């Protein structure tokens, strides 16, 4: 039986001693050699280097799991081309997301082909060749993350990273019968990713199953202070059961399938499957989402694409990519602000529709095309592919693309579950159930059965929680820490405040307590502990806090904001300024020594 590379299977085999990561790498290179490197890969690591990485890999949750990255994502020591040889440079440091995955034990195999500068949804815009659909080489693979999707679907790696600005992490997933997770913007770092539209970019995950995509996301999602678009308020990634009854939104007006009756039929079958799973099917007004989608390439965001390529020679750019990007030069400041105002109006209208539903389900794409047809009409047909994907990042939504059947000619069809920001974990639970409702589903283009792969491990939906920064007597090991632990609060991390804060030793307090005050002149960097507790417990905790202390909003290094202890300014008059010690624990230690 052919080795399935789904993460749960490999991990189980390693744990039982049935195979080793080294044997998996040997198998992968044999498969790549049989299929050939081009056009799916742009750069492949030397096998001996990969095996050396296995020997040095941490035994984390992704230990020995092979993966690939789209070649607009930096890997230390490897060229980053963005599908443009003239642009190529050798990265000195890997992207944050790559560092996190390797720290979890994952093994990088190589870098994959893409629509040049991540501009396109079809996969035909690269001088390195055209990755074809794994089920029919006459058809497009989808882009811009074409190679990343193909190598997963073909069983060459367990998962891969793409990027998704307009649908590039979803359309290739649909066309190749795999899962594409487009996370909420800012929860996976984009530091080390060459931007397409920097304000709208997201790193995406391709995998054989929803469970695998979730496993990768658990390792990849983290706040990165070096990423200016990172979301400090983002929760950790966790698969959660959705509330009941689950309201699934479908458009209240007919969608365009561009004369593809098979895709239309498969979409309606998907709706029937969701109803069979107990979901409440709810019509909603798709107009504000549709109108937002039209703005992505007609609005000022196309000018953002100039950021990475403005100094490139036109002759070095793919002709279609060049024309699209150059259109950004025609966007005026006035038109830009007009678009921002219109987007705000669409967002308000879209927010009203979310009151009707928990999740919307759309075809990932209304149809697909043969490579020859795409090359003959590259702009119009590509635009059709983004009809149901382009709006997602502009409206700050989460999305998960899952397989949903095949046309009679064997071409895959997929749907996308779309939720509000930070609904990623709930989408995973729904998406896994929907994927598994398909009869006889296989993993990508392999013969491995979905039914043999592990399902997602969903937890009950989390209660609302509050992060609280404590600075003194509530620290671990201090006299009042029990007020946190008896409320089941969880210690999350040790952090430091931003500049402007000063710390004082308050006189006459029992037990001894410090007072943290924002005066605007302090150097900051005061050590605090971040604890997370249930929102209901937070109220009873606050009720215990005596004056002059209270709970306010603290700003941490990097700009992240949390609730935390602050002191009324009058109480520190005459108190000892202990800011120089950098924290209460350090001050206690110094006084103990003295």
């Amino acid at each position: 039986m052919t080795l399935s590379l789904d993460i749960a299977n490999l991990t189980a085999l390693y744990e039982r001693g049935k195979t080793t990561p080294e044997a998996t790498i040997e198998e992968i290179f044999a498969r790549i050699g049989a299929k050939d490197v081009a056009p799916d890969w742009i750069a492949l690591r030397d096998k001996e280097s990969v095996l050396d990485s296995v020997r040095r890999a941490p035994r984390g949750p992704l230990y020995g799991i092979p993966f690939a990255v789209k070649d607009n994502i930096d890997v230390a020591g490897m060229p980053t081309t963005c599908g443009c040889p003239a642009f190529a440079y050798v990265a000195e440091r890997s992207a944050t997301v790559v560092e996190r995955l390797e720290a979890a034990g994952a093994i990088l195999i190589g870098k994959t082909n893409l629509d040049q500068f991540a501009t396109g949804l079809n996969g035909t815009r690269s001088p390195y060749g055209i990755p074809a659909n794994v089920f029919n080489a006459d058809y497009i693979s989808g882009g811009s993350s074409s190679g990343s999707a193909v190598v997963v679907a073909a069983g060459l790696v367990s998962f891969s990273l793409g990027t998704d600005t307009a649908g590039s992490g979803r359309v290739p997933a649909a066309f190749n019968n795999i899962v594409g997770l487009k996370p909420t913007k800012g929860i996976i770092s984009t530091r080390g990713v060459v931007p397409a539209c920097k304000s709208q970019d997201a790193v995406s995950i391709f995998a054989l199953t929803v469970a695998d995509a979730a496993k990768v996301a658990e390792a990849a999602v983290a706040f990165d202070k070096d990423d200016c678009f990172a979301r400090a308020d983002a929760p950790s990634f966790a698969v959660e059961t959705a509330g009941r009854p689950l309201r699934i939104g479908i458009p209240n007006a007919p969608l365009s399938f561009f004369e593809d009756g098979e895709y239309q039929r498969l979409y309606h079958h998907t709706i029937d499957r969701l109803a069979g799973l107990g979901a409440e099917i709810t019509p909603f007004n798709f107009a504000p989402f549709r109108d937002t989608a039209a703005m992505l390439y007609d609005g000022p965001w196309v000018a953002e694409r100039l950021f990475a390529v403005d100094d490139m020679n036109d002759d070095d750019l793919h002709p279609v990519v060049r024309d699209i990007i150059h259109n950004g030069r025609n966007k005026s400041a006035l038109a830009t602000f007009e678009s921002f105002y219109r987007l705000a109006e669409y967002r308000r209208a879209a927010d009203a529709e979310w009151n009707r539903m928990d999740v919307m389900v759309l075809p990932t794409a209304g149809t697909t095309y043969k490579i020859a047809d795409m090359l003959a009409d590259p702009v119009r047909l590509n635009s059709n592919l983004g009809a149901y994907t382009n709006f997602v990042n502009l409206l700050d939504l989460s999305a998960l693309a899952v397989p949903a059947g095949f046309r009679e000619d064997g071409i895959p069809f997929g749907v996308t579950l779309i939720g509000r920001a930070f609904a990623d974990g709930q989408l995973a639970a729904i998406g896994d159930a929907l994927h598994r409702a398909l009869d006889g589903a296989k993993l990508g283009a392999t013969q491995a059965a979905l039914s043999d792969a592990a399902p997602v491990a969903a937890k009950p939906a989390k209660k609302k929680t509050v992060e609280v920064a404590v600075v003194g007597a509530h620290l671990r090991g201090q006299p009042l820490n029990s007020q946190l632990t008896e409320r089941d609060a969880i210690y999350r991390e040790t952090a430091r405040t931003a500049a402007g804060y000063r710390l004082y030793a308050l006189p006459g307090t029992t037990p001894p307590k410090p007072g943290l005050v924002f005066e605007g002149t302090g150097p900051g960097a005061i050590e605090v502990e971040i604890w997370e507790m249930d929102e209901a417990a937070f109220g009873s905790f606050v009720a215990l806090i005596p004056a002059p202390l209270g709970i306010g909003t603290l700003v941490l290094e990097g700009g992240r904001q949390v609730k935390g202890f602050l002191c009324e300014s009058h109480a520190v008059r005459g108190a000892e300024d202990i800011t120089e010690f950098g924290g209460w624990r350090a001050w206690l230690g110094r006084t103990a020594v003295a």
Side-chain angles (χ1 to χ4, degrees):
M1 182 176 178
T2 303
L3 174 69
S4 174
L5 297 184
D6 68 278
I7 295 174
N9 180 56
L10 284 183
T11 300
L13 291 174
Y14 296 160
E15 290 175 349
R16 297 199 302 266
K18 298 295 185 180
T19 190
T20 64
E22 290 85 353
T24 298
I25 299 305
E26 294 285 356
E27 170 69 14
I28 284 171
F29 274 86
R31 292 182 186 184
I32 292 173
K35 192 177 186 294
D36 204 356
V37 174
D40 303 337
W41 302 87
I42 289 179
L44 202 64
R45 293 180 66 198
D46 176 79
K47 184 174 71 171
E48 291 307 315
S49 175
V50 175
L51 289 170
D52 183 59
S53 294
V54 171
R55 289 187 283 271
R56 293 183 288 105
R59 291 184 177 268
L62 296 176
Y63 172 67
I65 303 301
F67 76 108
V69 301
K70 184 177 181 178
D71 197 19
N72 60 344
I73 301 174
D74 285 346
V75 173
M78 296 187 73
T80 299
T81 72
C82 290
C84 179
F87 176 82
Y89 62 89
V90 176
E92 295 182 0
R93 179 185 171 186
S94 293
T96 298
V97 63
V98 175
E99 292 177 343
R100 289 191 60 81
L101 294 171
E102 290 185 325
I107 307 299
L108 180 71
I109 302 299
K111 305 188 76 177
T112 54
N113 204 352
L114 69 156
D115 279 329
Q116 190 177 78
F117 292 106
T119 303
L121 288 173
N122 59 82
T124 69
R125 300 171 179 174
S126 172
Y128 293 96
I130 298 175
N133 187 292
V134 290
F135 290 89
N136 187 327
D138 290 337
Y139 280 83
I140 60 173
S141 60
S144 61
S145 309
S146 51
S148 289
V150 167
V151 298
V152 172
L156 304 181
V157 290
S158 298
F159 72 92
S160 66
L161 299 182
T163 59
D164 190 316
T165 306
S168 298
R170 290 162 278 161
V171 171
F175 291 168
N176 292 280
N177 192 43
I178 59 174
V179 171
L181 171 62
K182 198 296 298 179
T184 301
K185 288 186 301 181
I187 68 171
I188 296 179
S189 174
T190 57
R191 188 208 60 78
V193 178
V194 178
C197 293
K198 191 174 179 68
S199 67
Q200 303 302 321
D201 291 342
V203 173
S204 62
I205 298 167
F206 294 105
L208 294 166
T209 69
V210 175
D212 282 3
K215 187 78 171 178
V216 176
E218 288 173 359
V221 170
F223 174 70
D224 180 5
K225 65 180 179 60
D226 294 328
D227 174 8
C228 62
F229 285 101
R231 308 283 280 270
D233 59 339
S236 57
F237 186 94
V239 180
E240 300 176 0
T241 55
R244 292 288 186 268
L246 179 67
R247 300 172 302 166
I248 297 288
I250 61 170
N252 61 5
L255 298 176
S256 175
F257 288 87
F258 309 99
E259 301 181 356
D260 190 331
E262 283 286 284
Y263 265 28
Q264 184 176 22
R265 175 183 63 82
L266 289 165
Y267 175 60
H268 289 296
H269 282 186
T270 300
I271 296 171
D272 291 340
R273 280 197 297 276
L274 285 164
L277 292 171
E280 176 184 316
I281 307 301
T282 305
F284 72 97
N285 179 17
F286 185 59
F289 302 92
R290 178 200 62 213
D291 294 343
T292 299
M295 294 183 68
L296 186 60
Y297 281 94
D298 292 338
W301 294 275
V302 71
E304 273 196 278
R305 292 183 180 268
L306 288 165
F307 182 82
V309 302
D310 201 25
D311 58 351
M312 294 291 299
N313 188 312
D314 283 355
D315 293 338
D316 294 326
L317 297 177
H318 187 283
V320 178
V321 173
R322 178 194 63 217
D323 292 346
I324 291 171
I325 292 177
H326 278 197
N327 187 43
R329 301 184 190 278
N330 302 323
K331 306 302 180 184
S332 69
L334 177 60
T336 295
F337 282 104
E338 288 176 342
S339 293
F340 288 166
Y341 302 152
R342 192 162 71 253
L343 177 60
E345 293 172 356
Y346 292 157
R347 183 177 288 119
R348 182 62 56 84
D351 286 345
E353 295 306 309
W354 282 109
N355 293 327
R356 307 173 187 271
M357 59 187 171
D358 303 306
V359 176
M360 75 169 73
V361 175
L362 296 175
T364 302
T367 189
T368 186
Y369 298 104
K370 290 185 175 181
I371 292 173
D373 294 333
M374 180 60 66
L375 294 175
D377 193 359
V379 176
R380 184 179 67 87
L381 298 190
N382 186 87
S383 179
N384 291 347
L385 298 179
Y388 306 124
T389 59
N390 285 354
F391 66 86
V392 172
N393 282 5
L394 285 175
L395 294 178
D396 193 22
L397 304 174
S398 53
L400 177 68
V402 295
F406 289 81
R407 296 195 316 197
E408 291 183 357
D409 62 1
I411 295 297
F413 169 73
V415 295
T416 299
L417 304 168
I418 301 169
R420 293 188 177 190
F422 308 132
D424 310 86
Q426 291 188 356
L427 295 183
I430 304 164
D432 187 57
L434 181 59
H435 191 189
R436 291 176 183 280
L438 286 172
D439 292 333
K442 303 291 186 183
L443 305 183
T446 75
Q447 292 305 304
L450 174 61
S451 59
D452 292 335
V456 294
K459 302 175 182 177
K462 288 189 297 186
K463 297 179 180 179
K464 291 185 178 180
T465 60
V466 179
E467 285 189 323
V468 183
V470 300
V471 70
H474 289 89
L475 296 169
R476 290 175 297 169
Q478 294 302 305
L480 299 182
N481 183 251
S482 60
Q483 291 183 356
L484 290 167
T485 57
E486 66 191 14
R487 286 168 175 78
D488 296 322
I490 300 172
Y491 165 76
R492 290 302 186 193
E493 61 180 303
T494 297
R496 295 185 180 277
T497 66
Y501 291 91
R502 288 192 174 275
L503 190 66
Y504 295 86
L506 298 177
T509 56
T510 304
K513 301 181 185 73
L516 183 67
V517 180
F518 182 81
E519 296 182 353
T521 60
I526 305 299
E527 185 178 273
V528 297
E529 288 181 357
I530 310 300
W531 289 72
E532 185 177 5
M533 68 172 67
D534 181 79
E535 196 175 59
F538 177 66
S540 66
F541 175 70
V542 172
L544 297 174
I545 300 171
L549 301 178
I551 295 290
T553 299
L554 266 64
V555 181
L556 305 179
E557 286 181 332
R560 177 182 169 196
Q561 296 184 356
V562 296
K563 296 303 178 184
F565 278 84
L566 289 172
C567 182
E568 297 175 21
S569 58
H570 70 83
V572 300
R573 293 173 190 158
E576 181 182 357
D577 186 338
I578 60 173
T579 304
E580 65 178 302
F581 292 96
W584 181 244
R585 203 187 302 276
W587 182 76
L588 290 176
R590 294 290 186 92
T591 56
V593 171

